[in-house]
Amino acid sequence: MTKTLKRPEVLSPAGTLEKLKVAVDYGADAVFIGGQAYGLRSRAGNFTPDQMREGIAYAHARGAKVYVAANMITHEGNEAGAGEWFRELRDMEIDAVIVSDPALIMIASTDAPGLEIHLSTQASATNYETFEFWKELGLTRVVLAREVTMAEVAEIRKRTNVEIEAFVHGAMCISYSGRCVLSNHMSHRDANRGGCSQSCRWKYDLYEMPFGQERRSLKGEIPEEYSMSSVDMCMIENIPDLIENGVDSLKIEGRMKSIHYVSTVTNCYKAAVDAYLESPAKFEAIKQDLIDELWKVAQRELATGFYYNTPTENEQLFGARRKIPEYKFVAEVVSFDEATMTATIRQRNVLHEGDQIEFYGPGFRHFETTIQDLHTADGDKIDRAPNPMELLTITVPEKVYAGDMVRACKSGLINLYKEDGASMTVRA
């Protein structure tokens, strides 16, 4: 008897209204956003109520859902006004709120009945008993702690029918599910109330401290100043395991990342899910293309987090970078004239006549070309365009669509660290 696999949603980050629309256009089944209160990304472009309404309307019209992160840990007084805020979210038809603090969960349940509540990864859920506890309180989904293994995912799925949401791509916190006070100590910014300064990503000095003598800085004498910075998570090769083990939502981290990042990563994970559900052979056929595509966006090195083993020094940012992206985001397509095969693009980075570029769009569409007939919007011929957000026109060999993105190859910047004459491999 053939096992019927459930299609997991691809859940993408949306730090701004622009990113929300890009994520939905590039295949996200759902997006998560932040409001102007109760979230953990105070520096993201958090949504005003009017922007939320516009984003919800845009997503719902295209069959996608919108979740709001309200996952801060409240101190005395922080919860003031939460009931009214949750009611406002419910009434504007937000699909769910993502919460970690029991006080906010209680307020959302009692003051905004009918509003769906998901448990944030900040609550560190690592076993099925925890799932069942939150189910008793009315929650419908739990976002797994990043420390959960794939074997534990399988066991949780067997023992509970609560929806499982799991991170599949993006930054890894050095502390247990984000429960960190390093930022509070180092910069007086509360990580659990939205102000994390990512102190773990800083470079630190090392000191020699002989007994009874003045300490001496070893700066310049040691090869590495990073102490705690982890590589990013990437589960693109392991989508079959997540689907087979019944994960309901594949979550991509990165509300502060660019539209280039959001569009590329969403496109890849959507293509991976579609391919595997069509057939394992189809997934295997495109797997390397997916890996190569993900390396076209700015990110740290990649690994699989805690899913298969405990991270070692290879999952930390020590030594020379073993691999870096080769491409930069240079433009997005605004319109296309099929009669003249001319694309109007909005520039995001410096462009030159003759640059090697790649167009890509939703549905994992790609083609490469060179910039030809570069003109300003007024029709003036130019050979260099240095001004961001300027409208330009170029001739293209294939049809493109509004919303397609344009990359340029940064030749010469690839940096594969050599050890004993051989390239070190990067686990993905």
Side-chain angles (χ1 to χ4, degrees), residues 389-402:
M389 305 306 289
E390 184 178 6
L391 289 177
L392 307 166
T393 64
I394 60 174
T395 301
V396 293
E398 297 183 27
K399 186 175 182 179
V400 294
Y401 300 85

Side-chain angles (χ1 to χ4, degrees), residues 129-422:
E129 291 95 336
T130 298
F131 275 61
E132 290 296 294
F133 172 85
W134 291 110
K135 178 183 176 181
E136 290 293 320
L137 294 180
L139 277 65
T140 57
R141 177 185 292 185
V142 170
V143 186
L144 286 173
R146 286 178 176 86
E147 296 78 23
V148 172
T149 68
M150 190 62 69
E152 290 170 331
V153 173
E155 188 67 14
I156 291 169
R157 178 72 295 157
K158 290 176 185 176
R159 293 176 174 269
T160 181
N161 61 2
V162 178
E163 289 188 358
I164 298 173
E165 183 176 304
F167 279 93
V168 296
H169 199 93
M172 292 285 288
C173 184
I174 202 69
S175 295
Y176 204 103
S177 293
R179 295 183 172 214
C180 180
V181 293
L182 188 62
S183 174
N184 304 53
H185 178 74
M186 300 297 293
S187 60
H188 303 288
R189 285 168 48 175
D190 193 335
N192 289 297
R193 286 193 285 175
C196 182
S197 60
Q198 297 196 32
S199 304
C200 60
R201 303 290 186 188
W202 300 356
K203 292 187 175 184
Y204 290 87
D205 202 350
L206 182 67
Y207 291 89
E208 181 182 40
M209 301 181 69
F211 182 74
Q213 300 179 38
E214 186 83 13
R215 69 179 184 178
R216 182 177 73 87
S217 170
L218 298 178
K219 192 173 183 67
E221 299 179 32
I222 53 174
E224 183 54 72
E225 294 171 330
Y226 283 119
S227 299
M228 295 169 279
S229 193
S230 64
V231 303
D232 287 357
M233 176 188 288
C234 175
M235 288 292 286
I236 197 69
E237 294 186 66
N238 309 101
I239 289 300
D241 284 353
L242 294 160
I243 294 176
E244 293 286 346
N245 286 312
V247 173
D248 297 278
S249 180
L250 309 178
K251 189 168 194 172
I252 300 163
E253 183 274 339
R255 277 190 283 150
M256 296 177 67
K257 297 292 183 69
S258 68
I259 61 171
H260 180 215
Y261 180 92
V262 171
S263 59
T264 299
V265 179
T266 301
N267 219 6
C268 285
Y269 280 90
K270 184 68 169 180
V273 170
D274 289 346
Y276 186 72
L277 291 176
E278 182 178 333
S279 76
K282 178 67 179 295
F283 173 77
E284 288 297 324
I286 70 165
K287 186 167 69 175
Q288 189 58 51
D289 291 336
L290 296 171
I291 296 167
D292 293 343
E293 184 75 3
L294 287 173
W295 273 109
K296 294 177 182 178
V297 293
Q299 60 197 346
R300 302 174 187 93
E301 294 164 30
L302 301 173
T304 54
F306 288 83
Y307 279 115
Y308 299 103
N309 48 52
T310 301
T312 68
E313 69 278 7
N314 292 323
E315 284 74 49
Q316 304 298 317
L317 296 178
F318 291 123
R321 278 205 70 164
R322 290 160 282 183
K323 189 172 184 179
I324 61 174
E326 300 177 66
Y327 286 77
K328 63 182 178 181
F329 174 44
V330 293
E332 59 186 312
V333 177
V334 175
S335 62
F336 174 68
D337 185 337
E338 194 164 4
T340 62
M341 296 298 287
T342 299
T344 299
I345 59 176
R346 181 179 290 110
Q347 178 198 0
R348 296 288 185 132
N349 216 316
V350 178
L351 288 170
H352 300 82
E353 179 86 8
D355 279 352
Q356 183 74 26
I357 58 173
E358 177 187 47
F359 283 85
Y360 72 94
F364 217 58
R365 294 182 288 103
H366 299 79
F367 73 88
E368 294 184 355
T369 186
T370 55
I371 293 180
Q372 298 179 28
D373 299 322
L374 181 63
H375 289 80
T376 66
D378 295 328
D380 297 327
K381 182 73 173 71
I382 55 175
D383 58 12
R384 182 175 183 271
N387 302 315
M389 305 306 289
E390 184 178 6
L391 289 177
L392 307 166
T393 64
I394 60 174
T395 301
V396 293
E398 297 183 27
K399 186 175 182 179
V400 294
Y401 300 85
D404 285 358
M405 305 286 177
V406 188
R407 304 184 182 106
C409 184
K410 300 188 294 183
S411 59
L413 290 185
I414 197 71
N415 177 25
L416 292 175
Y417 177 69
K418 303 288 186 180
E419 184 173 80
D420 297 330

